Structures are given as C-alpha cells and as structure tokens.
Amino acid sequence: MKKIYGLLLVLLMAGFLLGAGCTSTDTTQKPVDTASEKPAVTITPTEAPSEKVLRVGDLWAVSSINPGDGHDGGTFVTEKAIVTETLIGANDKFELTPNLALSWYQVDDTTWEFKIRPGVHFHNGKEMKAADVKASLDRTANLSPSTATLMSYDRCEVVDDYTIRIHTKELNPLVPGILHYPDTAIVSGDSYAADGTFTHPIGTGPMKVESFDEQTGTLTVVKNTDWWKGQANFDKMIIRGYESPATRAMMIENGDLEFTCDPPYSEVDRLDAIDGIRVEKYNTPRLYKIDCNLNNPVMADKNVRKAISHAIDRTGIAKNVLYGVGSPAGGVFIPSMKWKNTTLQPYEYNVSLAKQYLAESGWTDTNNDGYVDKKGEPLTLKFFTYTERPGLPPMQEAISANLENIGIKVEQVAMENAVLSKAMGDDWDLYLSATNLAMVPDPEYVLKGWYSTNGVSNKAKYSNPVVDRMIIDGHRIVNETERYDHFRKIEAIVYDDLPTINVAYYGVAIVMKDNVTGYTFDPTAHDYRIDPGMSIS
C-alpha cells in the first residue's frame, strides 16, 4: 500500500506539472514506481485489489459475541461469524459427527469421555488441549445456568492432553448432542482479560475477530490462515443485523450486501429475477407454531383448539403467504429428522368440522352477525406475533381471516420481538412464532422444553401427567431405536392435545449476489451457517 500511495503522489505531481505548462506529448510513457522499477497500477486509496470481502445482512441486531453467555452470542459467533466451533458436529440427517472431538463414549451412567482432536490451534496460535476445553466448558456452565442444567453438568476432568471426561449429576444421554449446541463452542481463556472481563472470542474457526462496533452491532472477521480444515475462500466478512426483511431486500438489491436471508417472501421471485442476484430456498429445522394460552378458560377448551386447527388453511398459507418457502406441518418435527413421527399429518382444513367443534362447546352465532357467542359474549381472541421473520405477520393475517371465517373475532398485534413479551404480559390467547427444533439434535430437547409441566419453553402452560412421566422415562433410554420410538408416542399425544398448533415447517430464502459461488447450505443450522467454502469473484 505504501508503494501505491507513493504512486498516487507521483501521478498527482505529474498532473500538476502538466497543468503548469509541461509540453511533453509522449502518451506511451508510463509512471514508474521508483522503489520497484515496475509499471505502476492506478488504484483508489480505499480499494484492496485482491481482498475478497463478504458483506452479510443478518436477521437480528448483534447484541453479543460471547458464545457462552446463554443468549444469542453462541449461534451468531459459531454459525454466522464462524469464529468458534463446537466439539460435536451433525450431518443433514441430524446424526452426530466428529468435530473438535474425534470420538466419545459413555463410561458409566454419569461419565462421558471425549477424545480431543490434536493439532487444532486457537486464533492466537496456541494449540487447543484438554485443559482449554475444560476451562471453556466450565465458563459456559457458569455463565449460562440453563446450558448447565440442560447438560446436568457437574464437572469436567482432564485425563491427558487430548482427553476429557464430563461428569453429570445424573444419567444424561443428551450430553453429546448438547455439545453440538452453539453455546458450548470452545474459546481460549485469552478471550478474557486478567480481571475476567470478556474481550472477544478467540476460537478455532475459519474466521477470527478483527473488530466489533457495539454501537452499530457490526462485526468484522478475517481469514484464519491456520484453520485445521484449511482456509476459507474469502478474506474478510462484515456482518451486521438488519431486523426489517424489507431493509435486507433493499440492501442486497442496492449492492450493499453480498449475502442475506429471508426478505419479504412476496419479494423472493422478483429478487431472483434481478440480474446479478439469485435466491435459493432450503428447509431448516424450525416450526411455525401457535402457542395457546391454556391459563385462559376459553383456550383451555380442547374443542376450541381443535376448531382453530381445522380452520387453518395450511396448504393455502404455504403457497400464497410463504410463496413456497415452507410447507404444511403435521407433527412437531420436520421430515428429515430421523425421530419424527411420520404418521402425523397436517390437520385437515375443514370449516364445517371447525364450526362443529365450536358448537359442541356452546359457541354458536345466536344473533346472525357472523360471529359465535356464548351467553351473549362473542368469542374474541388476542393474537400476537413478531415482525423480524418475514413469514409471521402475513401468516397472522391469513390465520386471522381463517378464524373470522368460522365466527371468531381476532385482535391482531405484531411488533418487534424485543418489546413483544412486555406488551403481551399474561393477557394473550394465541402466539405465533418460528421456533427452532435442533439446538440439540434429539427429540427430548424439544418435547421436554415445550410440553413438560415445568418445561423452560412451555409458553402454553400445558400440563399432562402422562406426558411428564413419559418424558422422565424417555430420558433414561439410551438405545437409539427404543428412544426414538418412545418420543414418537409423546409427539402423537401432544399432536392430539394441541397445546401448540403446528402450522408450517419453516423454509429459509438465501439471497446472494451472483459473484458468490460454491455455497452449501447446512440444514442443521438455526437460520443458516456461513460456508467458508464460498468464493467471491
């Protein structure tokens, strides 16, 4: 660059001399870099001629780059910034695969042993060894009690430089799957200052942190030339969150981004038709579902929930609202998950049957105004969703129209996720979300969290003693075939009970510039995973 700036100075001086009356007309003469005696290259000072930069527009404002803090940092830093890596990977069938750990086995009911991959180095050049892995997992357990509880984490023991043993407080077959969870990504102790303050993640991934602007939420990462798998095909990535789907679409159309996802689905075909832009659609482990507030006596009525489910035109929503970026949902799990109960089909769209269920619970239109009522009170439901994911607000509108069609009045509220919970409080009936199914590649993770009485994600406040008992029993089943069969039975029970109403399986629309090639989608990622094998021309 010093040579280039020197050249610019020469060019400027030459221009000045010509303007001052230099009479040379030799147009074949070229300015020469006197330091190298080679023909100079004209370039603007802000350009780096060979640097390949990928500019990414994420769905969410970047609030954390600490993978172990139990918030959004893990998913962002591990899957999107690809700075950190987990011990365990997963393939497109959601089967666990080696990653930073080469192998693992269960020593006894409360002990798992993991062999650590030798020759892996952190971004600061230090080799990752068992002591580093132990320290990283200990910090995660301390920073994120929910992750520690999920793992039943007791302690981690260093056996030798490349072997650790994780001790749990009770039998936990989920341990290897939990180590695929982005929050358990391994970071060097040098990610923390002497006083314990987190500075930035020093991981083992294909990219390493260059800077993070907390004011704008902009993270800049550069290529790790000592990555154990090789090297990324681009030099730098600048990633920032833009929570409006329309903004993401506008920015890639204007040339401000090379990569983003989930523009307004109504814009997908138009964007794909623009010269220089393409859209690729993929299935991802996420479910559009409606939580029903069972604390509300109306929603506690199973007939009302069945009426709602039969009133929803899932096929029409997938085609005309999601524009094919998604498909109708039956059971909880997506078809590619090997533990899915394949007998559970989407509830039939049947307006007459929906009205029949309402009538069985005394909800009929007594005054012919088009709405059902009971004892003079109309059936009115408060229906909430958030705006960051482009499918949610239009789905809310379509579902509300379906419910109005069977005589239910709907009050719709859609707002940013950051303020939604406070706005809802306890005064809600229906909550539409797009919820991940594969943080841990095992059916227990979702079914326990959503449907056990004290489940951490049991927004519906569902309580079924039979389900509670089955989840406890299933936790102790280690044999994979028996385990999956057991949890399929639980999936069937909640499918029938409808504490949550499954609407559609999520599809993601990846939008890229045509100069980005070689992208491979990871179907186990929570939105998408940046592929270090991508090239930018």
Side-chain angles (χ1 to χ4, degrees):
M1 290 302 297
K2 287 181 179 178
K3 294 179 182 179
I4 291 170
Y5 289 129
L7 166 62
L8 285 169
L9 183 59
V10 170
L11 288 170
L12 289 169
M13 291 179 65
F16 176 80
L17 290 172
L18 285 168
C22 180
T23 58
S24 172
T25 58
D26 182 4
T27 58
T28 63
Q29 184 177 1
K30 296 180 180 180
V32 174
D33 181 341
T34 56
S36 62
E37 295 300 314
K38 293 180 180 179
V41 178
T42 303
I43 188 168
T44 60
T46 56
E47 290 178 335
S50 61
E51 191 173 51
K52 298 178 179 180
V53 181
L54 180 70
R55 296 169 297 172
V56 177
D58 193 39
L59 291 80
W60 307 100
V62 182
S63 59
S64 172
I65 59 169
N66 186 346
D69 64 0
H71 299 295
D72 299 323
T75 299
F76 178 75
V77 173
T78 304
E79 294 187 342
K80 297 173 179 179
I82 52 176
V83 168
T84 54
E85 299 174 296
T86 54
L87 290 175
I88 308 298
N91 61 23
D92 57 4
K93 296 180 181 178
F94 297 88
E95 297 167 329
L96 301 181
T97 58
N99 202 38
L100 293 181
L102 284 170
S103 62
W104 56 92
Y105 78 99
Q106 191 168 9
V107 178
D108 55 44
D109 279 0
T110 59
T111 309
W112 287 84
E113 183 170 292
F114 295 82
K115 292 291 184 182
I116 307 304
R117 186 181 297 275
V120 175
H121 292 85
F122 289 112
H123 298 150
N124 57 7
K126 296 179 181 178
E127 185 181 8
M128 179 193 71
K129 293 189 177 181
D132 301 298
V133 174
K134 167 186 161 51
S136 184
L137 294 176
D138 284 346
R139 278 190 300 271
T140 297
N142 182 56
L143 288 168
S144 176
S146 61
T147 304
T149 299
L150 184 64
M151 198 186 298
S152 304
Y153 191 79
D154 181 40
R155 61 189 174 89
C156 183
E157 169 194 358
V158 174
V159 178
D160 58 42
D161 278 353
Y162 302 104
T163 308
I164 62 166
R165 286 187 172 181
I166 294 176
H167 299 272
T168 59
K169 296 177 180 177
E170 60 183 5
L171 173 69
N172 191 356
L174 291 175
V175 169
I178 293 166
L179 295 176
H180 171 262
Y181 188 33
D183 285 11
T184 66
I186 305 303
V187 297
S188 167
D190 293 337
S191 304
Y192 295 81
D195 63 358
T197 303
F198 178 80
T199 56
H200 66 279
I202 299 174
T204 60
M207 307 300 285
K208 57 185 180 180
V209 173
E210 180 181 79
S211 65
F212 178 53
D213 186 331
E214 293 186 9
Q215 297 299 316
T216 63
T218 302
L219 178 67
T220 302
V221 295
V222 295
K223 180 191 296 188
N224 171 20
T225 57
D226 194 26
W227 186 37
W228 58 279
K229 288 185 179 180
Q231 289 190 26
N233 282 338
F234 49 89
D235 302 304
K236 178 183 288 189
M237 177 166 59
I238 302 170
I239 182 167
R240 179 178 173 180
Y242 302 95
E243 294 178 291
S244 165
T247 298
R248 296 194 293 273
M250 178 187 68
M251 293 192 69
I252 198 159
E253 187 173 353
N254 290 346
D256 298 317
L257 300 173
E258 279 78 41
F259 185 104
T260 190
C261 77
D262 282 353
Y265 293 141
S266 59
E267 293 282 285
V268 164
D269 290 341
R270 185 188 68 81
L271 287 170
D272 195 34
I274 295 173
D275 187 34
I277 295 176
R278 73 182 186 281
V279 181
E280 299 177 0
K281 302 175 186 178
Y282 299 97
N283 294 321
T284 191
R286 194 173 288 275
L287 173 72
Y288 291 109
K289 69 180 175 78
I290 301 172
D291 287 287
C292 303
N293 186 356
L294 303 187
N295 283 341
N296 180 335
V298 172
M299 294 311 305
D301 185 340
K302 186 174 176 179
N303 279 338
V304 172
R305 302 197 301 274
K306 283 190 173 291
I308 292 171
S309 193
H310 282 293
I312 296 173
D313 181 7
R314 291 168 174 80
T315 300
I317 287 172
K319 179 180 179 181
N320 302 315
V321 177
L322 299 178
Y323 293 85
V325 189
S327 58
V332 170
F333 298 111
I334 64 175
S336 58
M337 290 175 162
K338 59 191 300 187
W339 53 81
K340 175 184 174 57
N341 187 329
T342 57
T343 67
L344 305 178
Q345 299 301 309
Y347 271 70
E348 177 190 5
Y349 173 49
N350 189 323
V351 173
S352 297
L353 183 58
K355 290 181 176 180
Q356 179 182 322
Y357 277 117
L358 289 178
E360 287 178 7
S361 289
W363 293 102
T364 57
D365 183 4
T366 61
N367 58 7
N368 295 317
D369 67 349
Y371 294 101
V372 297
D373 58 85
K374 185 191 293 188
K375 297 180 181 179
E377 292 294 326
L379 178 51
T380 304
L381 302 179
K382 293 183 178 180
F383 190 7
F384 289 80
T385 194
Y386 49 95
T387 56
E388 287 84 350
R389 293 193 181 276
L392 292 175
M395 283 179 70
Q396 182 191 44
E397 292 181 11
I399 293 168
S400 297
N402 290 157
L403 298 187
E404 297 264 349
N405 195 36
I406 63 169
I408 298 176
K409 289 186 176 181
V410 181
E411 297 177 4
Q412 300 178 55
V413 180
M415 58 181 61
E416 290 185 358
N417 193 49
V419 295
L420 183 63
S421 295
K422 185 175 180 180
M424 287 174 61
D426 296 324
D427 187 19
W428 62 279
D429 300 296
L430 304 173
Y431 170 65
L432 175 65
S433 65
T435 308
N436 191 271
L437 301 170
M439 289 287 192
V440 175
D442 187 278
E444 181 185 342
Y445 170 72
V446 167
L447 296 178
K448 179 180 179 180
W450 293 7
Y451 301 115
S452 62
T453 297
N454 297 314
V456 294
S457 303
N458 184 356
K459 194 172 186 66
K461 304 304 178 187
Y462 172 69
S463 181
N464 183 330
V466 173
V467 170
D468 287 346
R469 181 72 256 170
M470 291 181 71
I471 288 173
I472 292 171
D473 292 342
H475 181 75
R476 301 190 65 85
I477 300 174
V478 176
N479 179 273
E480 184 179 277
T481 301
E482 295 176 9
R483 180 176 179 80
Y484 291 171
D485 283 344
H486 181 84
F487 282 101
R488 289 185 187 107
K489 295 173 184 175
I490 300 174
E491 185 183 0
I493 293 172
V494 297
Y495 167 88
D496 183 66
D497 280 351
L498 287 172
T500 61
I501 297 171
N502 306 326
V503 180
Y505 300 124
Y506 196 94
V508 61
I510 301 294
V511 189
M512 291 176 279
K513 287 290 191 179
D514 282 348
N515 66 331
V516 178
T517 58
Y519 176 67
T520 300
F521 182 74
D522 180 354
T524 71
H526 307 121
D527 292 310
Y528 60 88
R529 185 188 297 272
I530 289 294
D531 178 7
M534 287 189 293
S535 296
I536 305 172
S537 61

